[in-house]
Amino acid sequence: MKGQSFFILGLIFALIIAVLAVINNDPVQFNYVFGSQKWPLILIILTTAVFGGVVAASLSFVKIVQLRGQVKQKNKRIAELEEEIKQHKPVEPVVEEEPNQPATRTERAHL
């Protein structure tokens, strides 16, 4: 369900960008570090959207790799602890004795 939600949101976002790009197709002055040029606004909108998607995907990929490493470490530690548990002998439960009480009549009859 979560994947479908993200897919639908992505489609809606793409549709909004497409509508904005078609409506705003006039050439505009684009200034960058080494100069400036007139480009159609559609190219600027699409380029920035693609660049934003690439940056977001890259950051997500880095986080996913970090989390996978953590999961691998945790699974290794769990395996070590499970092996340590298997090597230990079971401990006998401690049963507390009741304090000495006078024997009842039936108990005295059996003695």
Side-chain angles (χ1 to χ4, degrees):
M1 236 17 206
K2 188 176 183 181
Q4 290 176 346
S5 299
F6 283 130
F7 180 72
I8 291 171
L9 286 174
L11 285 178
I12 292 170
F13 183 69
L15 181 64
I16 291 171
I17 290 175
V19 168
L20 288 174
V22 170
I23 292 172
N24 298 306
N25 61 1
D26 299 330
V28 294
Q29 189 73 25
F30 182 73
N31 299 316
Y32 49 94
V33 178
F34 303 110
S36 64
Q37 264 187 322
K38 282 196 171 212
W39 285 1
L41 190 54
I42 188 171
L43 284 179
I44 295 172
I45 291 172
L46 292 176
T47 303
T48 55
V50 168
F51 183 71
V54 168
V55 169
S58 298
L59 293 175
S60 296
F61 180 73
V62 169
K63 189 65 176 177
I64 288 170
V65 169
Q66 289 174 345
L67 291 174
R68 282 185 181 166
Q70 286 180 358
V71 167
K72 191 179 284 188
Q73 288 176 346
K74 302 292 182 190
N75 284 340
K76 184 178 178 183
R77 181 69 177 141
I78 288 170
E80 290 172 357
L81 292 173
E82 286 176 345
E83 187 61 35
E84 190 175 318
I85 289 171
K86 287 179 185 176
Q87 291 176 357
H88 281 45
K89 293 180 181 176
V91 177
E92 294 290 327
V94 177
V95 179
E96 293 184 19
E97 293 183 20
E98 294 183 21
N100 291 336
Q101 294 180 359
T104 61
R105 284 185 186 175
T106 53
E107 289 176 346
R108 277 184 257 163
H110 289 288
L111 293 177

